[in-house]
Amino acid sequence: MAERQNTKREQTGPFGFSPYKSKKNEEYMNEAQEAHFRAILQAWKTELMEEVDRTVHHMQDEAANFPDPNDRATQESEFSLELRTRDRERKLIKKIEETLTLIDNHEYGYCEACGVEIGIRRLEARPTASLCIDCKTLDEIREKQMS
């Protein structure tokens, strides 16, 4: 049974989408590819928005004024962690929206540093990628040297 589940996971990409199957002599970032990535990004954004709603409801439902300072501190610590996570997700939602704008403007899938194609598989692994693998590698090396 576990083998069957692993095989199924390998056949689907993020959010249950099947990996894009390129056709012979197909133009890069054509309408079908843009639609594929738009659907992935919108599903991701929807999932993140639902998580934000769940967090708000959870914090409202769980908020209590505990008489014990340790219980209060634990709850505040948990809420703080959740809020930090949601803040990171809020930034990711903004990046997803920017990426959707790139798709709308037919500028998606090209490296913002050198202009080459980022590649379908890299974009499926990281739909918000804005750098090709070579530029990203150089960027990480520079970042490592600076710190």
Side-chain angles (χ1 to χ4, degrees), residues 10 12 30 32 34 49 52-53 62 67 76-77 80 90 128:
E10 290 171 11
T12 59
N30 59 38
E34 286 180 345
M49 297 295 283
V52 167
D53 289 343
E62 297 296 317
E76 287 176 19
S77 178
S80 177
R90 180 188 54 80
T128 57

Side-chain angles (χ1 to χ4, degrees), residues 26-79:
E26 182 178 34
E27 183 181 339
Y28 181 72
M29 245 350 106
N30 59 38
E31 285 184 32
Q33 291 171 358
E34 286 180 345
H36 174 73
F37 287 106
R38 182 179 290 110
I40 290 172
L41 288 161
Q42 287 174 334
W44 194 7
K45 181 181 172 185
T46 300
E47 183 179 287
L48 290 170
M49 297 295 283
E50 288 171 356
E51 192 61 34
V52 167
D53 289 343
R54 275 194 292 274
T55 298
V56 169
H57 293 302
H58 169 72
M59 290 180 79
Q60 287 172 342
D61 294 345
E62 297 296 317
N65 192 6
F66 292 109
D68 180 28
N70 290 327
D71 290 340
R72 253 195 326 266
T74 300
Q75 183 183 47
E76 287 176 19
S77 178
E78 289 172 358
F79 283 179

Side-chain angles (χ1 to χ4, degrees), residues 47-128:
E47 183 179 287
L48 290 170
M49 297 295 283
E50 288 171 356
E51 192 61 34
V52 167
D53 289 343
R54 275 194 292 274
T55 298
V56 169
H57 293 302
H58 169 72
M59 290 180 79
Q60 287 172 342
D61 294 345
E62 297 296 317
N65 192 6
F66 292 109
D68 180 28
N70 290 327
D71 290 340
R72 253 195 326 266
T74 300
Q75 183 183 47
E76 287 176 19
S77 178
E78 289 172 358
F79 283 179
S80 177
L81 180 61
E82 267 189 76
L83 289 172
R84 269 186 299 193
T85 302
R86 295 307 152 244
D87 187 52
R88 287 179 58 217
E89 290 174 348
R90 180 188 54 80
K91 290 174 185 171
L92 182 55
I93 289 170
K94 185 176 184 222
K95 185 157 176 116
I96 290 170
E97 289 170 349
E98 291 168 359
T99 304
L100 287 167
T101 301
L102 288 175
I103 292 174
D104 293 341
N105 295 334
H106 308 290
E107 297 171 359
Y108 179 69
Y110 298 92
C111 179
E112 67 182 24
C114 69
V116 301
E117 297 174 357
I118 293 175
I120 300 295
R121 297 299 161 240
R122 173 159 166 68
L123 290 170
E124 284 184 326
R126 183 80 178 172
T128 57

